[in-house]
Amino acid sequence: MSQRRRIPRLIGTLLLVAAAGVGCGEATAQGRTEGGRAAAEPGVRPLGRIVPVPASVTPEGRPYVLSRTTRIGIDTRSADAKALGGYLAGLLRPATGFPLPVVDERAAEGGILLRLRSGETALGDEGYRLRSAPEGLTVTARTPAGLFHGLQTVRQQLPAAVERDSVQPGPWKVAGGTVTDTPRFAYRGVMLDVARHFFTVDQVKRYIDQAALYKVNTLHLHLTDDQGWRIAIDSWPRLTTHGGSTQVGGGPGGFYTKDDYREIVRYAASRHQEVIPEIDLPGHTNAALSSYAQLNCDGVAPPLYTGINVGFSTLCASKPVTYDFVDDVIREIAALTPGRYLHIGGDEARATSHADYKTMMDKVQPIVAKYGKKVVGWHQLTGTTPADGALVQYWGHDRTPAADKERVAEVARAGTGVIVSPADRSYIDMKYTKDYALGLSWAGYVEVQRSYDWDPATYLPGVPESAVRGVEAALWTETLSTSAHLDEMAFPRLPGVAELGWSPAAGHDWESYKVRLAEQAPRFEALGIGWYRSPQVPWPGAGS
């Protein structure tokens, strides 16, 4: 007889007890009731022991076993279902060696069924239900996004070796029972700075895939800054040929053609992530100012910049050409971007007077609306009036003046949505420790527990929870120039921020989370992710 229970209330005890028996994070025990006592199912990850932790879990019965005869069943009339069936098969075939044909659901008895059901309104826009039993495994959702997130749960319930690109021995089991899961916040983002150091389309795709595993649904691309302009604008071609020709430290830089950017947007959409492009202004604009002298108040183009200082550049508020430039850029970017939002930056505009800042933001926000997008801006946007439907992104830290936080609270109470990404919690380019080689430390040192152990809904005094749209893990790249660098700083902090965005507040518990995080280590290894082995986390083999 099974008993329904909420994982958040019991997971701490369950995980701490189980952790003593975990070797490499693979051979854990799945409890089931047999003759009135718990019995062990070797080699099966307990249901719900994943990141982010699910909202509701009912362990029950024996596991589902993936085999050579397994078929993936879908509604073959649905293009979305076909795409998701193909995605799952592509994930599972290399390591299992099984053919896993994608067939009509009526021909997949005993297999994996992927079901899109418009009537499942309780699952919302991104929720799913997973049912696992010996006779089959079913993932049900109201939307393709929900089904995709459910497949990430299936993936994490399987042994980590499923991530490898060569045939592994298995067995491939998913613990028995039911997971019913919906996200806490609608916005769960990662930001990647491609302006300070340029990253190729393939490198961005790799980061998209890593974030998708943890149910992230937004990719914020920081495309322009003092050190580089990374997106082609046909009406202002020197932005890339000149402004994109270098990066921090003086490397060759680079930029995305419009087709490159379209490919990033397409790939992100295939992982159910919305791309939010950021064109930072009025500060952080040296690459543009160096490309076109007329954008400067004195008509003199400054040299390209390859350092990491901030706050010295500004567009010219008094020149009509400034607004022609902004209109052209936003028009071309908006045409490439199917998502709802366009980020206009707005932080660290120290070279811009308050009057000029307000003038520019009051003129730029209507341009964004003119081209069918909603504004996102850093929280300095509260120094003016955020447009209807705008989101402000808070990036302050412990030492941020109370007045700045109160301005965010004021606009939030007036109806503006807030994305919470405090620099001393979710800026995952901050150094872990004083002596860490990579990263910066202006916001402090951000170890793994600190990046996880906070609540986005209560972090900002006076901001109602209803105004908090979600969280974002921001990865700035002043000191990061390779995918290995991105891995090392994002992992293991990114999964924790993702859990804050997805999982219920009741399940927020560092002691249980650190055990589940430690069990991600074999998955990191299988995926080729090099991560920081924080001493705060009981990694497999630590101390042995």
Side-chain angles (χ1 to χ4, degrees):
M1 180 176 184
S2 68
Q3 180 181 5
R4 188 164 192 81
R5 53 188 175 173
R6 297 280 293 185
I7 278 290
R9 297 189 178 276
L10 294 181
I11 198 165
T13 301
L14 291 172
L15 294 185
L16 290 172
V17 170
V22 174
C24 65
E26 289 301 302
T28 58
Q30 165 65 23
R32 69 181 189 276
T33 300
E34 246 179 37
R37 62 186 180 84
E41 181 68 51
V44 181
R45 183 178 305 284
L47 196 66
R49 187 138 142 184
I50 62 173
V51 178
V53 67
S56 177
V57 176
T58 307
E60 184 176 21
R62 298 185 65 83
Y64 174 74
V65 182
L66 191 69
S67 73
R68 184 163 293 279
T69 61
T70 296
R71 296 183 173 199
I72 298 173
I74 62 165
D75 179 351
T76 53
R77 298 167 299 178
S78 166
D80 289 323
K82 286 181 181 179
L84 289 161
Y87 169 81
L88 180 62
L91 281 177
L92 302 182
R93 283 171 181 155
T96 64
F98 300 157
L100 300 172
V102 179
V103 301
D104 187 89
E105 58 187 336
R106 293 168 295 183
E109 183 178 355
I112 301 174
L113 298 182
L114 310 184
R115 289 179 168 165
L116 285 169
R117 296 291 185 266
S118 60
E120 293 278 3
T121 55
L123 296 177
D125 291 338
E126 295 186 278
Y128 65 92
R129 184 172 56 252
L130 182 154
R131 286 180 175 158
S132 173
E135 58 269 22
L137 187 150
T138 303
V139 185
T140 303
R142 190 180 70 83
T143 67
L147 201 55
F148 181 82
H149 297 319
L151 298 186
Q152 306 314 310
T153 294
V154 172
R155 183 179 174 186
Q156 285 199 41
Q157 289 290 163
L158 288 165
V162 78
E163 309 291 353
R164 297 196 179 275
D165 57 9
S166 60
V167 176
Q168 305 295 308
W172 309 105
K173 299 180 180 181
V174 175
T178 301
V179 174
T180 304
D181 204 10
T182 56
R184 182 184 184 191
F185 294 110
Y187 186 108
R188 305 176 308 283
V190 293
M191 189 282 293
L192 182 60
D193 169 17
V194 297
R196 270 50 178 272
H197 279 99
F198 179 69
F199 291 87
T200 66
V201 172
D202 285 343
Q203 287 175 304
V204 175
K205 287 181 175 180
R206 183 174 187 270
Y207 199 58
I208 289 169
D209 278 330
Q210 291 172 348
L213 177 58
Y214 299 100
K215 302 183 173 72
V216 166
N217 68 355
T218 305
L219 173 67
H220 167 189
L221 276 181
H222 185 76
L223 290 166
T224 69
D225 214 297
D226 291 314
Q227 299 86 351
W229 187 285
R230 308 301 182 199
I231 180 68
I233 302 296
D234 293 340
S235 51
W236 298 76
R238 275 179 57 82
L239 291 172
T240 48
T241 57
H242 178 74
S245 66
T246 191
Q247 59 189 14
V248 167
F255 66 92
Y256 306 120
T257 66
K258 288 189 170 182
D259 282 344
D260 289 337
Y261 180 79
R262 290 187 186 99
E263 176 59 16
I264 290 171
V265 169
R266 183 206 64 79
Y267 194 81
S270 76
R271 271 56 177 165
H272 294 274
Q273 292 176 26
E274 179 178 352
V275 173
I276 298 179
E278 181 183 353
I279 305 299
D280 206 346
L281 53 90
H284 291 282
T285 47
N286 192 81
L289 298 172
S290 181
S291 300
Y292 288 96
Q294 63 265 43
L295 296 177
N296 297 269
C297 285
D298 62 4
V300 178
L304 290 168
Y305 182 68
T306 61
I308 63 171
N309 290 331
V310 299
F312 60 88
S313 59
T314 183
L315 292 172
C316 190
S318 62
K319 282 190 165 184
V321 69
T322 294
Y323 306 102
D324 294 338
F325 165 76
V326 171
D327 191 288
D328 287 339
V329 169
I330 289 176
R331 171 176 50 80
E332 293 193 32
I333 295 292
L336 296 171
T337 304
R340 297 163 290 174
Y341 296 103
L342 196 150
H343 203 304
I344 59 173
D347 66 325
E348 297 176 321
R350 297 168 191 164
T352 314
S353 71
H354 176 71
D356 283 352
Y357 183 92
K358 188 175 187 308
T359 293
M360 279 191 271
M361 288 306 186
D362 287 349
K363 289 185 177 182
V364 167
Q365 291 187 88
I367 295 173
V368 175
K370 172 183 171 183
Y371 293 109
K373 304 301 177 186
K374 295 180 180 180
V375 166
V376 184
W378 299 109
H379 71 259
Q380 283 76 14
L381 186 63
T382 60
T384 181
T385 303
D388 289 344
L391 302 178
V392 296
Q393 183 167 0
Y394 179 80
W395 62 272
H397 48 88
D398 283 354
R399 299 184 302 278
T400 296
D404 291 358
K405 297 176 183 177
E406 177 53 30
R407 280 196 296 272
V408 176
E410 286 176 3
V411 301
R413 290 191 293 266
T416 297
V418 180
I419 302 164
V420 189
S421 52
D424 55 348
R425 300 284 185 168
S426 69
Y427 268 32
I428 55 176
D429 62 297
M430 290 294 107
K431 288 179 178 288
Y432 292 100
T433 61
K434 179 180 179 181
D435 298 325
Y436 207 75
L438 296 174
L440 300 175
S441 59
W442 56 264
Y445 306 114
V446 183
E447 250 286 8
V448 178
Q449 182 174 358
R450 184 169 180 82
S451 71
Y452 174 81
D453 215 2
W454 60 285
D455 184 349
T458 60
Y459 182 81
L460 281 169
V463 173
E465 183 168 355
S466 60
V468 177
R469 299 294 183 262
V471 296
E472 184 173 286
L475 190 52
W476 301 98
T477 62
E478 287 95 335
T479 69
L480 314 178
S481 59
T482 68
S483 286
H485 290 163
L486 302 184
D487 286 0
E488 194 174 333
M489 301 306 279
F491 291 90
R493 292 181 290 195
L494 187 157
V497 178
E499 176 156 307
L500 295 180
W502 181 278
S503 301
H508 184 202
D509 174 66
W510 166 252
E511 293 302 318
S512 62
Y513 171 71
K514 70 182 182 182
V515 177
R516 286 180 289 112
L517 178 61
E519 292 174 0
Q520 293 288 306
R523 201 165 300 273
F524 296 162
E525 290 180 349
L527 288 166
I529 296 172
W531 78 99
Y532 166 60
R533 295 175 182 266
S534 168
Q536 297 180 339
V537 180
W539 303 110
S544 62

